[in-house]
Amino acid sequence: MIKVSVCVVTYNHEKFVAKMLDSILMQETTFDFEIVVGDDLSKDNTRAILTEYQQRFPDKIRLLLHPKNMGLNGKFNALATFAAARGEYIAQFDGDDYLLVPDKLQKQVEMMDANPHYSACFHNARVIFDDNAAPPYLVNSLKKREFTVDDLIGEDELCFIATSALMFRREDFAKNPDPEWTNKSTSGDIPRNIMLATRGPIGYIDEVMSVYRKQRGGASFADNHYGADFLFNRIEMYTNIDKELKYKYHDLLTKNIATYYYKMLFSKEYGDTYWPRVKYAVKYLSMADPSPERKKEVIRDFIIPPVFMKIYSFFAINLYNLKSRAS
């Protein structure tokens, strides 16, 4: 009987996929596990590498070679691998991640088996940049043993679970799939983790057991955090989360959503257009309830027409000059 299905999504990962597969194949377990890889029609040599590994390990690796790109940052590809999984547990993985220790799967299964009330569990991970754009850092600095929905909702976006760190129950996910609205979200992890937490605590292992790679060809660089499409998508996602949770966290999520309206003021689409900026500035002020200082700043910079500011500056400067001459 297969205990764990390691579900991997790949897209143009030819530089990383061998290291990823090797790190999974090195896992030392007391149970059987499988590797289900969904490739989203890679344009590079990824599929050839996957096929070569599958031929070497036919009893361990199964491939889903999609005939067309499924889109949405690999979300639909991931769901396809989940649907094909046969294990009791699912461990997620991106094709450019890799594991650091040989007992990651063993430790997570032991935690899940010992805590049947857990909906999922995760561990810490190290973030690296393949172009050395920034130094490595840890995804989180957590010390709690378990987390609930309360821990996943905040005024700002909370995202401290790396994709390669999560393990959850396959049957539970099959009976309670992601809500339909999540299919429009560019983030699969955030709503999925929250939905998992609604069905039970998420356990945590305070060990760094995987690497989350940020590389310019990957999904982590696909989201432009100051692009209107991304910002509107986040607003819609958190609005749906608010509704899904029956508005229990409405005040927190309203302030969270407000931050995306604030970012819209600097977006490449609306940063230089007056009336849209006014609309989003008003939305931000009404939702965020910012400090008096921030409120004055937003009104001054984004609501008062620029021509009025020029007139104000003109009179202020001349008034200052007159006072200087009089003294």
Side-chain angles (χ1 to χ4, degrees):
M1 177 181 176
I2 296 173
K3 189 74 170 178
V4 177
S5 294
V6 182
C7 292
V8 183
V9 294
T10 59
Y11 179 70
N12 292 347
H13 286 144
E14 65 176 357
K15 294 194 298 182
F16 316 108
V17 70
K19 185 168 187 175
M20 175 272 297
L21 288 173
D22 287 339
S23 75
I24 300 173
L25 290 165
M26 77 173 185
Q27 290 297 294
E28 299 172 357
T29 65
T30 58
F31 49 80
D32 290 334
F33 67 90
E34 65 174 354
I35 304 171
V36 183
V37 186
D39 182 71
D40 216 2
L41 195 61
S42 292
K43 299 176 182 179
D44 59 6
N45 202 39
T46 299
R47 287 198 171 189
I49 298 171
L50 291 175
T51 301
E52 188 266 331
Y53 266 82
Q54 196 277 330
Q55 291 172 349
R56 287 169 53 195
F57 303 96
D59 297 331
K60 186 66 71 174
I61 299 175
R62 289 192 292 130
L63 301 182
L64 304 177
L65 304 179
H66 304 301
K68 63 179 181 179
N69 185 276
M70 304 181 79
L72 205 62
N73 288 355
K75 177 179 173 62
F76 292 123
N77 187 11
L79 292 176
T81 65
F82 298 166
R86 298 177 297 193
E88 180 180 352
Y89 301 119
I90 288 176
Q92 289 185 258
F93 228 78
D94 287 331
D96 53 353
D97 298 332
Y98 61 92
L99 298 177
L100 294 170
V101 296
D103 57 353
K104 170 254 196 340
L105 296 180
Q106 184 72 37
K107 287 184 175 180
Q108 287 193 282
V109 165
E110 289 176 357
M111 172 173 270
M112 294 295 285
D113 282 349
N115 297 276
H117 64 296
Y118 281 2
S119 64
C121 72
F122 72 106
H123 54 77
N124 209 342
R126 181 182 302 134
V127 179
I128 66 169
F129 296 80
D130 70 329
D131 58 357
N132 297 314
Y137 63 90
L138 297 183
V139 172
N140 65 65
S141 57
L142 305 171
K143 294 301 176 184
K144 291 176 61 175
R145 178 177 170 82
E146 59 183 47
F147 294 80
T148 66
V149 177
D150 289 356
D151 300 303
L152 298 175
I153 303 293
E155 292 185 10
D156 296 311
E157 186 162 286
L158 300 178
C159 192
F160 49 77
I161 303 177
T163 300
S164 59
L166 186 70
M167 179 180 286
F168 56 90
R169 303 179 191 279
R170 179 184 62 82
E171 186 175 350
D172 175 63
F173 183 80
K175 291 179 180 177
N176 302 280
D178 292 341
E180 183 64 29
W181 56 262
T182 65
N183 292 336
K184 298 179 181 179
S185 171
T186 57
S187 172
D189 292 345
I190 293 172
R192 180 172 303 131
N193 295 341
I194 291 173
M195 292 301 102
L196 285 170
T198 63
R199 300 192 289 275
I202 298 178
Y204 177 60
I205 300 172
D206 188 15
E207 296 182 37
V208 181
M209 295 197 280
S210 67
V211 166
Y212 167 36
R213 187 193 303 271
K214 289 193 174 185
Q215 46 105 5
R216 296 193 183 279
S220 59
F221 278 90
D223 288 339
N224 181 345
H225 286 228
Y226 282 92
D229 287 345
F230 170 81
L231 298 173
F232 281 130
N233 191 275
R234 277 295 197 267
I235 290 168
E236 183 178 17
M237 182 188 77
Y238 280 110
T239 299
N240 281 315
I241 288 173
D242 193 19
K243 182 179 179 180
E244 191 76 31
L245 299 179
K246 302 186 186 309
Y247 306 102
K248 180 180 178 181
Y249 305 91
H250 182 68
D251 290 345
L252 286 174
L253 288 169
T254 295
K255 291 186 177 182
N256 189 327
I257 292 169
T259 64
Y260 294 100
Y261 280 117
Y262 183 74
K263 289 183 177 182
M264 202 77 74
L265 304 177
F266 304 92
S267 68
K268 58 186 178 183
E269 292 85 356
Y270 302 116
D272 295 324
T273 54
Y274 175 67
W275 286 112
R277 284 194 316 176
V278 170
K279 178 173 69 173
Y280 299 131
V282 170
K283 279 184 173 292
Y284 165 73
L285 292 175
S286 65
M287 298 176 77
D289 190 25
S291 66
E293 293 76 17
R294 170 60 69 86
K295 188 177 294 186
K296 289 179 182 179
E297 175 187 306
V298 171
I299 292 172
R300 181 195 67 211
D301 295 343
F302 301 106
I303 294 180
I304 296 176
V307 64
F308 287 0
M309 289 302 300
K310 289 181 180 178
I311 294 172
Y312 170 81
S313 298
F314 173 79
F315 282 108
I317 291 172
N318 280 279
L319 181 61
Y320 174 80
N321 290 336
L322 287 173
K323 288 183 177 179
S324 296
R325 290 170 186 168
S327 59

